[in-house]
Amino acid sequence: MNWIKRLFLFLLPALFLIACATERQLAKRFVQEETNINVLLLPPPGLNIKYYPVHPDEADPDTIDPFNLEEARFVDEVDDSLLVNNFMQSLKYHLELFQVNVFGPDNIDSFFRLDTTAFIFSLAQMELMEYLDEAVFTSAVDTIQYRQRFPQTTLMQSHWFEFSTLNKPEEPMEVLYSMQHTSDYFDGRFVYSPINGEVTFRYTPYYLNSDDVFELAFFAGEQNAQYIFDYLMNYYIKEKSGRDPDRYLTYDKNRHAIRSAGNDRFIRITPDENAEEPRDQ
């Protein structure tokens, strides 16, 4: 029986490579041949805005009210509707670059009259968070550990999409989460002076400004358009192969290449209990 075990161990990697090749072929077919991809985008009911004077993971809910924005640098002056519109317009624009037919609230009736497979991404919740953190730099010089800290403001935009398929009521709705962020940046390093033996930290700060709030919204729209297209591509692979892909794939439209997405994708909050998440490889 040992020869059977050895044969199995030999064939297993080969079968995996064949499966990956088939999935890439299906992904390529989706990109090249699927020319009638219909998506309905529904905006959120509003925008949740929060501020934390510390990292959210360290916040004490009994002492910190995240809706108290008085000490915030940016989010206390955000125009909710303007930011949401900026995000939704960016999302629509970048999704159309993938040759996707995008519907919205203005033509929702036309969408529901479609007699083909179509997809709904309803933004059930959208959140903008500002929090204060620290940028920490460390270095060891002659067995001495040096540390430099800077207060750092981070802006984080989060999205919860409810995904469903038109004309397929048997398929359960799924919740897909994504997050994009930006923060103050410090370009620096420790410098040792052989003349006096002192160690100093030299740096150039790049602080956030009010424009970065809307630039984050625009960037988030671009990223989520990529995530939506990739999700539909992997959905197509599952439909054609009968199972979830072994590796979650992404399409790089700039290089016209298909590769593993790794963690750069939606987080599926409500996956099918009988399905396994594709591996990050």
Side-chain angles (χ1 to χ4, degrees):
M1 298 296 292
N2 288 336
W3 70 270
I4 297 178
K5 182 178 180 181
R6 288 196 296 270
L7 179 62
F8 175 78
L9 294 176
F10 174 79
L11 291 176
L12 188 59
L15 293 173
F16 176 74
L17 291 175
I18 292 173
C20 291
T22 302
E23 290 168 1
R24 287 180 180 273
Q25 291 171 357
L26 289 171
K28 183 178 180 180
R29 185 190 306 172
F30 176 80
V31 171
Q32 295 179 344
E33 300 179 9
E34 289 298 311
T35 58
N36 190 32
I37 305 171
N38 300 290
V39 168
L40 172 64
L41 295 178
L42 296 178
L47 177 68
N48 293 332
I49 299 180
K50 296 181 180 179
Y51 169 74
Y52 289 93
V54 297
H55 193 286
D57 292 342
E58 301 173 358
D60 184 351
D62 295 329
T63 59
I64 295 178
D65 177 11
F67 297 101
N68 183 356
L69 310 179
E70 293 182 358
E71 298 180 6
R73 286 174 57 189
F74 304 109
V75 297
D76 60 328
E77 298 179 355
V78 167
D79 185 322
D80 300 24
S81 59
L82 186 61
L83 186 136
V84 171
N85 289 338
N86 191 33
F87 169 76
M88 295 300 297
Q89 289 173 8
S90 174
L91 179 60
K92 179 178 184 293
Y93 168 76
H94 288 99
L95 200 53
E96 287 176 339
L97 293 181
F98 286 103
Q99 307 302 311
V100 172
N101 304 319
V102 180
F103 296 77
D106 293 339
N107 51 4
I108 192 171
D109 293 337
S110 299
F111 176 82
F112 282 107
R113 285 196 296 267
L114 294 173
D115 60 358
T116 184
T117 301
F119 308 96
I120 303 170
F121 287 85
S122 176
L123 188 48
Q125 183 176 336
M126 180 172 167
E127 179 179 279
L128 177 66
M129 180 190 298
E130 176 184 334
Y131 64 88
L132 191 61
D133 202 1
E134 280 189 332
V136 181
F137 298 83
T138 60
S139 181
V141 180
D142 291 336
T143 70
I144 300 177
Q145 188 78 12
Y146 293 87
R147 186 183 302 270
Q148 180 70 48
R149 300 174 181 269
F150 295 99
Q152 181 182 49
T153 298
T154 295
L155 292 169
M156 185 170 72
Q157 187 170 307
S158 299
H159 322 85
W160 289 262
F161 287 94
E162 293 179 346
F163 168 75
S164 55
T165 307
L166 183 66
N167 300 324
K168 287 191 176 182
E170 72 280 2
E171 292 191 357
M173 182 192 70
E174 294 182 335
V175 178
L176 308 174
Y177 171 78
S178 72
M179 179 274 291
Q180 285 76 42
H181 73 279
T182 186
S183 64
D184 295 330
Y185 175 71
F186 302 90
D187 183 12
R189 61 190 179 93
F190 288 94
V191 178
Y192 172 75
S193 173
I195 298 177
N196 55 22
E198 293 183 354
V199 175
T200 57
F201 188 79
R202 298 178 183 175
Y203 70 99
T204 302
Y206 299 91
Y207 295 109
L208 294 175
N209 58 57
S210 56
D211 292 338
D212 290 314
V213 178
F214 289 92
E215 288 183 8
L216 174 61
F218 183 85
F219 171 72
E222 180 180 9
Q223 286 294 101
N224 280 273
Q226 178 75 59
Y227 291 173
I228 287 176
F229 186 82
D230 290 343
Y231 194 84
L232 296 180
M233 182 173 69
N234 285 273
Y235 177 94
Y236 176 87
I237 294 172
K238 179 181 178 180
E239 287 286 292
K240 297 301 181 182
S241 65
R243 62 186 182 87
D244 279 314
D246 287 308
R247 294 191 297 175
Y248 194 92
L249 300 176
T250 182
Y251 171 61
D252 185 338
K253 67 177 182 298
N254 295 323
R255 299 180 179 179
H256 303 289
I258 295 169
R259 55 179 173 78
S260 175
N263 293 323
D264 194 12
R265 54 170 165 160
F266 280 130
I267 296 174
R268 189 165 53 176
I269 296 179
T270 56
D272 183 348
E273 295 179 356
N274 298 317
E276 295 182 358
E277 285 282 2
R279 293 190 294 270
D280 298 328
Q281 296 184 7

